[in-house]
Amino acid sequence: MVRTLAVSAVALLALAGCSRKGEIDVTRGVGITSVRSACPAAGVPAGTGDITLFDPAGNQLASAIDVTATITNVRATCNESGEDIVSTVTFDIQARRTRTDGARQVDLPYFLTVVRGGSQVVAKRINHAVLDFPAGEARAQATGSATAVVQRSAATLPDAIRQQIVRPRKAGAEDAAVDPLSTPEVRQAVLNASFEALVGFQLTQDQLRYNVTR
């Protein structure tokens, strides 16, 4: 239903030498092989996973609730084998209406946004899900999907930063117990290479306020 723009995540990290993933390498100091996927993390931003429609519009009393819907079963399938990292996010929308007299279609806008470093929105696209309520039925369901593509270079840490993270440290050395992510430039580089693909309902200010305060 949607095709979005760039997205990615953190690069592959691995120690040189003969150690295998998760093993402690004591031949040249202390180090652990760490592997992180280049795929983006998929999720739903807080406050945007539900939508409530009222009739009449503007009346937010419980007695005026017309339709409610929820985004659920968010899943991601990712192919990171090539220079382009391709991730497809799929999800379900489950809805319920109050009045069931007659068939009805309800159009709900939703978005997929790409967030870098936990706060920087780098891409956003809005689409619509159409829910079909048969006559006499209170429930309906729709599915959505969004595909994201990014060049691997956008998800790769600079080599100098990678070396700071994965280099072996000898026991007793001054920096042996120092977390490399506590270094500002390392922490910022990891954030810059971290991406999320987030889906949610495109809410009005009143709808978002209702979700947050109800």
Side-chain angles (χ1 to χ4, degrees):
M1 297 173 68
V2 180
R3 180 172 180 83
T4 165
L5 305 179
V7 69
S8 69
V10 181
L12 175 72
L13 305 181
L15 287 176
C18 301
S19 63
R20 293 190 297 272
K21 182 171 64 175
E23 286 189 344
I24 296 178
D25 179 1
V26 294
T27 59
R28 293 179 298 165
V30 177
I32 298 177
T33 301
S34 175
V35 177
R36 300 185 69 178
S37 172
C39 296
V44 179
T48 67
D50 302 274
I51 189 170
T52 303
L53 306 182
F54 294 91
D55 187 16
N59 183 347
Q60 293 190 347
L61 295 176
S63 59
I65 291 177
D66 181 25
V67 176
T68 59
T70 302
I71 291 176
T72 186
N73 296 329
V74 177
R75 305 168 298 278
T77 302
C78 185
N79 183 350
E80 52 180 315
S81 60
E83 288 302 310
D84 286 337
I85 300 167
V86 181
S87 182
T88 300
V89 180
T90 59
F91 55 94
D92 297 330
I93 297 176
Q94 297 180 352
R96 184 181 181 90
R97 62 174 175 165
T98 301
R99 297 188 304 275
T100 61
D101 50 341
R104 180 182 176 188
Q105 279 192 341
V106 176
D107 183 294
L108 297 178
Y110 67 88
F111 66 85
L112 186 141
T113 186
V114 179
V115 178
R116 185 176 193 175
S119 60
Q120 180 185 356
V121 176
V122 297
K124 182 177 181 180
R125 179 164 293 183
I126 299 173
N127 210 327
H128 295 258
V130 177
L131 294 141
D132 288 302
F133 291 92
E137 293 292 331
R139 296 180 181 274
Q141 181 171 311
T143 60
S145 66
T147 300
V149 181
V150 69
Q151 291 184 343
R152 181 172 295 277
S153 58
T156 303
L157 290 171
D159 189 63
I161 297 296
R162 189 182 70 85
Q163 290 301 325
Q164 289 188 58
I165 296 174
V166 302
R167 68 182 179 84
R169 290 166 171 78
K170 295 184 180 296
E174 184 177 353
D175 64 348
V178 176
D179 180 359
L181 292 178
S182 65
T183 306
E185 59 267 26
V186 173
R187 185 168 58 250
Q188 188 59 49
V190 171
L191 280 175
N192 287 339
S194 300
F195 290 78
E196 298 169 285
L198 306 177
V199 294
F201 288 113
Q202 182 67 23
L203 305 173
T204 66
Q205 287 298 320
D206 287 342
Q207 289 169 336
L208 181 59
R209 189 178 303 112
Y210 175 80
N211 282 358
V212 173
T213 60
R214 63 180 173 177

